[in-house]
Amino acid sequence: LDPMDSDSHGTHVAGTIGASGNNGIGVAGVNWSVTLLPCQFLGPTGGSTAGAIECINYFTDLKLNHGVNVKATNNSWGGGSYSDTLRAAIESGGDAGILFIAAAGNSGVDADSTPMYPAAYDLDTIVSVASTDRNDQLSIFTSGASNYGAVSVDLGAPGVSILSTVPTSGAPALGDPSGYNYSDGTSMAAPY
């Protein structure tokens, strides 16, 4: 699968995770010396559960068969119905020691009663992340609000007006030509 970002979402998430710090340039990620391995299965026209499974299995294979010490995957995506096959792929990754960090969703609903997958699968290896604002309250966005849930959401992290990296070339909708832009959502909270 092509790992190149087609809508700035992945680059924004990657910058939040691992943008170099202490250099006086742009933003600093939460881990300045991390190795990021992208796998894109979503694009401007959507994606598929089969593509998500292919990416999850790719990281599990890297760890089990190629000596790559994958610690966690960031999964700033969601939607679709329950899938036994997707759940099994996440569980296999967890059995290999890979945490699955998942965005809780931006529908403003109780995920215990209205689950959003993959964040809501009942697996110990999943860390489901809600979005909080600067007052440490559940986030409300222009287009919705953070999902929540006493059982299905594990923690909250900053997800409002997050400044991070975006591509500077390509499609016009990719963001600011400076290479940085703000974004909101549980997709922005999950990398934290």
Side-chain angles (χ1 to χ4, degrees):
L1 299 175
D2 183 2
M4 297 310 294
D5 194 352
S6 58
D7 68 359
S8 80
H9 187 269
T11 302
H12 196 280
V13 167
T16 302
I17 295 169
S20 295
N22 202 30
N23 60 10
I25 301 170
V27 297
V30 295
N31 186 341
W32 301 350
S33 60
V34 67
T35 299
L36 298 174
L37 302 169
C39 188
Q40 178 180 225
F41 69 93
L42 293 171
T45 59
S48 69
T49 300
I53 293 166
E54 188 176 345
C55 283
I56 294 163
N57 289 342
Y58 170 72
F59 291 119
T60 304
D61 179 63
L62 284 176
K63 181 153 190 174
L64 293 177
N65 300 314
H66 300 281
V68 179
N69 191 13
V70 179
K71 303 272 189 191
T73 59
N74 181 81
N75 299 277
S76 288
W77 56 275
S81 59
Y82 181 95
S83 164
D84 284 327
T85 311
L86 178 57
R87 184 186 187 284
I90 296 167
E91 187 172 30
S92 293
D95 291 345
I98 302 171
L99 285 175
F100 188 91
I101 314 304
N106 301 323
S107 301
V109 299
D110 183 343
D112 293 346
S113 57
T114 308
M116 192 205 65
Y117 298 105
Y121 289 119
D122 184 21
L123 293 170
D124 290 340
T125 191
I126 294 176
V127 179
S128 175
V129 185
S131 172
T132 60
D133 62 20
R134 67 169 137 189
N135 297 312
D136 205 25
Q137 300 297 309
L138 205 60
S139 299
I140 298 173
F141 317 113
T142 305
S143 60
S146 178
N147 287 358
Y148 56 92
V151 175
S152 61
V153 177
D154 299 301
L155 55 91
V160 176
S161 295
I162 304 300
L163 180 65
S164 189
T165 53
V166 293
T168 57
S169 63
L174 288 182
D176 191 291
S178 71
Y180 304 95
N181 211 336
Y182 291 92
S183 198
D184 299 327
T186 59
S187 285
M188 283 62 252
Y192 283 108

